[in-house]
Amino acid sequence: MASQPVILEPKQTLGMTRFGFRDQFYASQKFFFFCVNGFEFLLPDEVFNSMIEKAKVGNLGMADVEWVQRVQNLFKNLLEKVPLRFMLPTNSIVRYLETGNINLTDFPYQMTIEERKLHIKHILKLIQSNPNITFGVLLPTTEKYSGTNFINLSFNTSYSTGFLKKNIQLIHPDTLPIYFIKNTMLLNSFQAYFDNLTKSKHYKEYTAKELEELYKKYYFLIEFLFKE
């Protein structure tokens, strides 16, 4: 085994090293995110400001203020403007609305109810302003593997590099949560798998207008999920 090439490399973090894996990953013009551990993208500034205040007093794990600000700038300057495809299972959406738990790549954060409300409105606003954002949902199934529903392992790809991410809230603190995909064939296989899922009868994509209509339609249900 020691003599074989590494295809999955476990890591604690993407790192903040200049020209390291994080910079390599985001040096792209399109992305796909299979999000099962909350929805950490398209966050409003209020959430980042709260993270910065927690980081100042050491309440954000390994993340310091510079770390949070760099992620904020990266997401705002890149991910709000380039083509993005998000895929979320419905059960993970409900779990996020109920708990507010997200994994901002490297560290967990629990959004308040007010922050979750701001997040939803901000997502709708950005999808309206960026027509290159595709938002799709995996609906519940009744088939052989319906009980698993991929609820704890995210997949992120920039189509030249990618990684898997475990749910930080559900693993032992000593477990490394991130796995760099080091093999091109394996990365292509993951990408092909999720591309194929977009053709499934259980997958549904929504336009900005449809999402806004869904938000209005299920507003009272969302408010119910927000109740503590």
Side-chain angles (χ1 to χ4, degrees), residues 59-107:
N59 288 340
L60 206 61
M62 71 179 74
D64 58 19
V65 172
E66 182 182 1
W67 189 310
V68 177
Q69 289 175 332
R70 188 171 174 209
V71 172
Q72 180 182 16
N73 291 333
L74 184 67
F75 282 11
K76 181 175 290 291
N77 294 326
L78 179 65
L79 296 188
E80 294 182 6
K81 301 174 183 177
V82 300
L84 304 172
R85 168 169 276 166
F86 296 108
M87 180 186 290
L88 291 82
T90 52
N91 51 357
S92 71
I93 296 174
V94 171
R95 184 168 63 181
Y96 159 70
L97 292 174
E98 288 179 324
T99 67
N101 289 330
I102 62 173
N103 294 341
L104 193 62
T105 306
D106 309 89
F107 54 89

Side-chain angles (χ1 to χ4, degrees), residues 37 72 89 102 116 122 140 146 157 189 198:
N37 304 322
Q72 180 182 16
I102 62 173
R116 276 171 263 170
H122 193 61
S146 61
T157 180
S189 294
T198 65

Side-chain angles (χ1 to χ4, degrees), residues 181-194:
I181 300 173
K182 307 285 286 187
N183 179 275
T184 301
M185 185 180 297
L186 181 60
L187 178 62
N188 290 339
S189 294
F190 274 115
Q191 289 169 175
Y193 172 77
F194 284 102

Side-chain angles (χ1 to χ4, degrees), residues 163-174:
F163 62 93
L164 302 167
K165 183 174 63 174
K166 293 182 177 180
N167 187 330
I168 298 174
Q169 282 89 8
L170 299 180
I171 61 177
H172 190 277
D174 294 333

Side-chain angles (χ1 to χ4, degrees), residues 2-223:
S3 65
Q4 299 304 308
V6 174
I7 61 173
L8 281 175
E9 183 181 5
K11 290 285 186 179
Q12 181 66 49
T13 171
L14 291 189
M16 280 294 181
T17 306
R18 297 291 177 179
F19 309 111
F21 184 87
R22 189 186 298 270
D23 285 356
Q24 179 186 356
F25 179 82
Y26 286 109
S28 179
Q29 289 300 308
K30 70 172 185 173
F31 300 89
F32 169 80
F33 300 103
F34 178 63
C35 305
V36 299
N37 304 322
F39 191 66
E40 72 255 43
F41 301 101
L42 311 183
L43 295 170
D45 288 337
E46 289 85 349
V47 174
F48 281 110
N49 292 339
S50 177
M51 289 181 182
I52 288 171
E53 292 305 311
K54 289 181 180 295
K56 285 180 179 178
V57 295
N59 288 340
L60 206 61
M62 71 179 74
D64 58 19
V65 172
E66 182 182 1
W67 189 310
V68 177
Q69 289 175 332
R70 188 171 174 209
V71 172
Q72 180 182 16
N73 291 333
L74 184 67
F75 282 11
K76 181 175 290 291
N77 294 326
L78 179 65
L79 296 188
E80 294 182 6
K81 301 174 183 177
V82 300
L84 304 172
R85 168 169 276 166
F86 296 108
M87 180 186 290
L88 291 82
T90 52
N91 51 357
S92 71
I93 296 174
V94 171
R95 184 168 63 181
Y96 159 70
L97 292 174
E98 288 179 324
T99 67
N101 289 330
I102 62 173
N103 294 341
L104 193 62
T105 306
D106 309 89
F107 54 89
Y109 177 79
Q110 185 174 27
M111 299 172 68
T112 66
I113 291 176
E114 187 58 34
E115 287 173 341
R116 276 171 263 170
K117 292 179 180 179
L118 289 172
H119 192 197
I120 292 174
K121 293 176 181 178
H122 193 61
I123 290 170
L124 293 173
K125 177 183 176 182
L126 290 177
I127 290 178
Q128 289 171 348
S129 63
N130 181 2
N132 293 316
I133 295 178
T134 304
F135 196 95
V137 172
L138 277 176
L139 306 172
T141 71
T142 57
E143 297 170 354
K144 182 178 179 182
Y145 299 106
S146 61
T148 56
N149 266 336
F150 309 101
I151 60 173
N152 294 316
L153 189 65
S154 295
F155 169 63
N156 296 2
T157 180
S158 62
Y159 295 93
S160 60
T161 187
F163 62 93
L164 302 167
K165 183 174 63 174
K166 293 182 177 180
N167 187 330
I168 298 174
Q169 282 89 8
L170 299 180
I171 61 177
H172 190 277
D174 294 333
T175 301
L176 299 178
I178 296 172
Y179 291 80
F180 294 173
I181 300 173
K182 307 285 286 187
N183 179 275
T184 301
M185 185 180 297
L186 181 60
L187 178 62
N188 290 339
S189 294
F190 274 115
Q191 289 169 175
Y193 172 77
F194 284 102
D195 283 344
N196 189 55
L197 270 186
T198 65
K199 303 177 180 67
S200 166
K201 63 182 179 180
H202 304 295
Y203 177 75
K204 167 69 175 174
E205 286 185 356
Y206 294 93
T207 64
K209 183 177 179 180
E210 288 172 334
L211 283 174
E212 189 169 11
E213 290 173 352
L214 278 176
Y215 175 68
K216 293 177 180 178
K217 180 179 180 180
Y218 293 107
Y219 175 79
F220 290 105
L221 173 59
I222 293 172
E223 287 291 308

